[in-house]
Amino acid sequence: ALVREAARRGLLATIYRPSLISGDSRTGSFNRDDLLSLMIKGAVEMGVAPDLDWTLDCQPVDVVSRQILQLSAQPGRLFHLVHDRPRHWRECLLWMRLAGYQVRLLAYPEWLRVLDEHTRPGAPGSPTLRPLRAFFLERLTSAEGLTRPELYEESRRTTAVAQRTTALLHSRSAETPPLDAALLDRYFDAFANSGHLSAPARPRKQYAARVFDESFFSGVLHACELNGEVTRAELLGSGSEHSIISELTAWRTGCAAGLLRYRLHFAAGTVRNVVVKVKASDKEAIAVGAALATLCGERIGAAYERWQDRVGLAASHLREPAIYAMQDPRFVRHMPAMLGCSIDPDSDARTLVLEQIDRPILMNSVMRPWMWTPRHLNLAIDGLAALQSAWYGHTETLLEQPWIGWVASSSAMAEMTDLWEALAEQAGPLLERWAGADAVRRHRHAIDSIEQWWPLLERTPRSLIHHDFNPRNLCFRRHAGELRLCAYDWELATVGAPQRDLAELICFVLTRRATDAEIDGVIERHRAALEREAGVSIGAAGWRRGFHAALRDLLVNRLAMYALINRVKRQDYLPRVLSTWRRLDDHLSAHGGLA
């Protein structure tokens, strides 16, 4: 305010308002007395960190200084220097746990009690957070008794509007390094080398993003129609930014994982765009999931560790290449073509080269459900039925496939009650906020009665199901003048009831305002389409009850897991999906579903 008044009176003044300033992005050099450095060291000392909804909006010091210089010649007197891709405090803690630092989240009131005991006068040693004791413990009468850190939570803090500043920086091609695992690696190396932190318990592999060259593509594409020498491999970009599991698996293994987009130039003069998908071994993905669960609490961590081979990730690196290699016309018609595959003998990672879908429609439309017309939904249902018909009723043969991994059964699902209960405990507050207190009661009822309804999913003729069938993993493509479903990301596929994929799809693309007729229409269309494609008779009443059982399985076994991930990385679609789940459950409970 004083600077603004000085400017009003004629002095030349400019205000730069950076967010948190972190260490140098190149060297990791840092200020050991700033809030972020102290919080990280304090979390390691205490073994626990506050479970606060803090956005980790920090800019490296070299970036901030460069931005100030770049903006100094620009018109304007106020600039907000924020990161255009901020992360979350809990994401940093998850990375720390994977790195070997044994920290876990603790509810803020409980954490304050630990902090009070750890930093009070007379406590042994020199606790790092003692200088911040008043900052955390003092309750402000002007803020209804909240502490200062609570005022900075996402739901309470004011957010600077930085579009003008960001646009000016982009116009000068000013790049900001992403707040990713590689940058954290650099920072924590500096922490350890300076003695600010002890070295982590688990030695870290040096991360090195892999770039696939011409010789790689020339070798791996030898078995497809693109057979020929690749003279140039042009990296266009990377994907999977929505997946914290992919990012941290890549960091943990020390190599690239996820999606890369390339443009290939062939000696014959042809050009083809492809997608390279690198799949780390299932053990690495399972370890990331276990670290996330343990970070969120002792109970959920213990339950996840006990059943980690049953959460769908086991054999995922084998399963997806095997499914892409299927030659059944129903799969070929509704999936991207796999152009080649290689196996790393040291890490057991798979690298898939897939066709890039030209001009896809509704790709990654998870946050745009309003764009899904009845035509799109009908096409998705018909394509899903075609895919499922290939293995429908051939359960025994499917179970013999070496890539199928663990398959759920009624008895196994009942054995895993401690995991479902721990997930429900984590999901409860979110479910109540987004779908009402009665939805929490229904979640509990679904877990308590799992031995009554899950057998419906086991008795029905099963098939190979996608098991992650939602708008993040499907699109539509044009072929010979018609639209056609294209489903990808098959790593979670399993043997299951066909209704399970439909339940997930319509939770994502319908809304809580869906009419009874719309709900009944999509359930019946799927039954009729599968009946037609598989050439068998499927009873409508049993199919409907099986759908309701699949809806319950979706909540217990998948949406509750999304709620756990939401603790660390916000899943913005989740409130809408849970609200739609409640609407579907209301309708089925009242019209021919389960008790």
Side-chain angles (χ1 to χ4, degrees):
L2 287 171
V3 173
R4 279 177 168 160
E5 179 61 19
R8 191 185 69 80
R9 298 188 185 190
L11 291 179
L12 181 61
T14 303
I15 299 171
Y16 300 95
R17 299 191 66 216
S19 52
L20 287 173
I21 300 178
S22 59
D24 190 285
S25 66
R26 301 155 300 181
T27 67
S29 299
F30 65 100
N31 174 8
R32 64 175 62 228
D33 294 320
D34 71 12
L35 177 64
L36 193 57
S37 299
L38 293 175
M39 282 295 299
I40 289 172
K41 185 175 182 180
V44 172
E45 283 181 355
M46 296 165 61
V48 290
D51 191 1
L52 289 166
D53 188 17
W54 280 348
T55 295
L56 196 64
D57 181 4
C58 57
Q59 293 270 43
V61 62
D62 54 306
V63 173
V64 173
S65 59
R66 185 169 63 249
Q67 288 179 346
I68 290 174
L69 286 172
Q70 290 171 327
L71 293 168
S72 62
Q74 298 293 329
R77 292 183 172 179
L78 175 61
F79 299 101
H80 294 288
L81 307 179
V82 301
H83 203 291
D84 55 356
R85 290 160 292 167
R87 305 300 285 263
H88 199 282
W89 163 241
R90 300 187 190 109
E91 288 185 82
C92 177
L93 294 169
L94 174 58
W95 183 92
M96 290 170 61
R97 186 160 192 97
L98 282 165
Y101 294 104
Q102 299 303 306
V103 297
R104 61 183 176 85
L105 287 167
L106 200 60
Y108 190 57
E110 297 176 39
W111 183 82
L112 287 178
R113 286 193 287 272
V114 175
L115 176 74
D116 183 30
E117 182 177 341
H118 190 73
T119 62
R120 68 179 49 175
S126 301
T128 296
L129 293 181
R130 183 173 284 163
L132 295 175
R133 179 180 169 85
F135 172 75
F136 283 106
L137 293 174
E138 182 184 0
R139 297 197 174 274
L140 308 175
T141 55
S142 59
E144 301 179 350
L146 296 174
T147 63
R148 285 182 178 85
E150 289 173 295
L151 296 180
Y152 289 104
E153 289 196 281
E154 194 62 24
S155 60
R156 296 187 181 97
R157 76 183 185 102
T158 56
T159 303
V161 178
Q163 285 94 333
R164 182 177 62 87
T165 303
T166 301
L168 283 170
L169 291 170
H170 283 171
S171 70
R172 299 179 66 88
S173 301
E175 294 186 4
T176 302
L179 299 174
D180 58 8
L183 183 60
L184 286 174
D185 238 347
R186 208 163 299 128
Y187 286 162
F188 276 75
D189 281 343
F191 288 163
N193 292 337
S194 68
H196 186 70
L197 286 182
S198 58
R202 186 182 74 83
R204 305 199 306 276
K205 296 179 181 178
Q206 187 66 37
Y207 178 83
R210 182 178 178 187
V211 177
F212 297 94
D213 59 15
E214 293 78 9
S215 62
F216 167 81
F217 286 108
S218 295
V220 82
L221 298 178
H222 65 85
C224 75
E225 75 276 10
L226 295 181
N227 186 15
E229 181 186 359
V230 176
T231 57
R232 183 184 173 199
E234 181 183 359
L235 178 62
L236 301 179
S238 61
S240 297
E241 293 181 356
H242 67 279
S243 175
I244 189 172
I245 300 293
S246 293
E247 178 188 345
L248 291 177
T249 300
W251 168 80
R252 192 175 190 275
T253 57
C255 64
L259 300 179
L260 300 167
R261 298 185 299 277
Y262 278 86
R263 177 170 295 137
L264 304 183
H265 301 259
F266 290 84
T270 56
V271 177
R272 180 76 175 268
N273 290 344
V274 299
V275 173
V276 176
K277 183 169 187 177
V278 185
K279 293 288 300 177
S281 76
D282 56 352
K283 293 181 177 61
E284 301 296 344
I286 289 170
V288 172
L292 187 155
T294 306
L295 174 69
C296 292
E298 292 181 354
R299 184 186 182 193
I300 182 64
Y304 190 100
E305 185 175 1
R306 183 181 181 189
W307 303 113
Q308 60 185 0
D309 291 335
R310 296 185 180 183
V311 296
L313 297 172
S316 58
H317 65 305
L318 307 177
R319 192 156 46 247
E320 190 164 35
I323 292 173
Y324 276 125
M326 289 181 180
Q327 295 302 305
D328 187 296
R330 289 163 290 192
F331 277 88
V332 173
R333 180 180 173 87
H334 294 106
M335 293 193 310
M338 183 171 71
L339 307 176
C341 179
S342 71
I343 302 173
D344 185 329
D346 296 325
S347 66
D348 205 27
R350 265 63 173 171
T351 300
L352 285 63
V353 180
L354 306 172
E355 68 164 322
Q356 180 171 302
I357 306 301
D358 293 329
R359 296 185 296 277
I361 297 169
L362 292 182
M363 178 172 274
N364 297 328
S365 60
V366 67
M367 295 305 297
R368 296 172 289 159
W370 61 87
M371 298 185 68
W372 276 70
T373 66
R375 181 192 179 204
H376 293 126
L377 181 53
N378 289 341
L379 285 170
I381 292 171
D382 293 347
L384 174 63
L387 285 164
Q388 293 175 339
S389 68
W391 287 95
Y392 185 70
H394 301 292
T395 305
E396 295 305 318
T397 305
L398 193 52
L399 289 172
E400 293 172 358
Q401 304 306 309
W403 44 263
I404 199 63
W406 181 80
V407 175
S409 66
S410 300
S411 59
M413 293 294 289
E415 286 177 351
M416 298 167 67
T417 297
D418 59 331
L419 176 60
W420 312 138
E421 289 178 342
L423 286 170
E425 180 181 57
Q426 296 281 327
L430 297 181
L431 191 58
E432 181 172 2
R433 186 188 317 160
W434 296 330
D438 189 54
V440 177
R441 182 194 62 78
R442 295 185 199 196
H443 192 178
R444 293 296 322 173
H445 173 67
I447 295 171
D448 293 340
S449 61
I450 200 167
E451 292 182 89
Q452 282 74 56
W453 57 263
W454 217 95
L456 287 172
L457 301 176
E458 196 169 15
R459 287 197 299 264
T460 188
R462 291 180 287 172
S463 182
L464 180 68
I465 63 173
H466 187 282
H467 213 218
D468 200 15
F469 196 72
N470 62 67
R472 295 183 300 173
N473 301 321
L474 58 89
C475 67
F476 298 92
R477 65 192 305 180
R478 294 196 179 276
H479 181 79
E482 66 174 8
L483 278 185
R484 177 185 298 176
L485 171 74
C486 184
Y488 42 91
D489 286 358
W490 286 82
E491 49 262 288
L492 298 183
T494 189
V495 180
Q499 297 98 314
R500 175 59 174 72
D501 282 341
L502 180 69
E504 183 162 1
L505 174 65
I506 64 176
C507 276
F508 274 80
V509 302
L510 294 183
T511 72
R512 59 186 175 86
R513 292 184 293 275
T515 66
D516 290 354
E518 287 174 328
I519 297 170
D520 290 338
V522 295
I523 296 173
E524 172 56 22
R525 184 181 185 98
H526 185 215
R527 185 201 67 79
L530 184 57
E531 187 178 65
R532 181 177 63 253
E533 292 281 353
V536 297
S537 177
I538 303 175
W543 179 265
R544 190 177 183 85
R545 285 172 55 80
F547 177 85
H548 200 184
L551 191 67
R552 288 186 177 178
D553 180 72
L554 176 67
L555 176 64
V556 170
N557 194 8
R558 181 58 54 80
L559 298 184
M561 192 70 76
Y562 288 160
L564 180 69
I565 296 172
N566 186 78
R567 291 282 305 281
V568 173
K569 185 177 179 65
R570 195 181 308 280
Q571 309 295 298
D572 292 327
Y573 58 83
L574 198 52
R576 172 176 50 80
V577 170
L578 286 170
S579 181
T580 303
W581 181 93
R582 167 71 185 272
R583 169 69 183 104
L584 297 173
D585 188 62
D586 281 343
H587 175 70
L588 271 295
S589 297
H591 300 92
L594 303 174

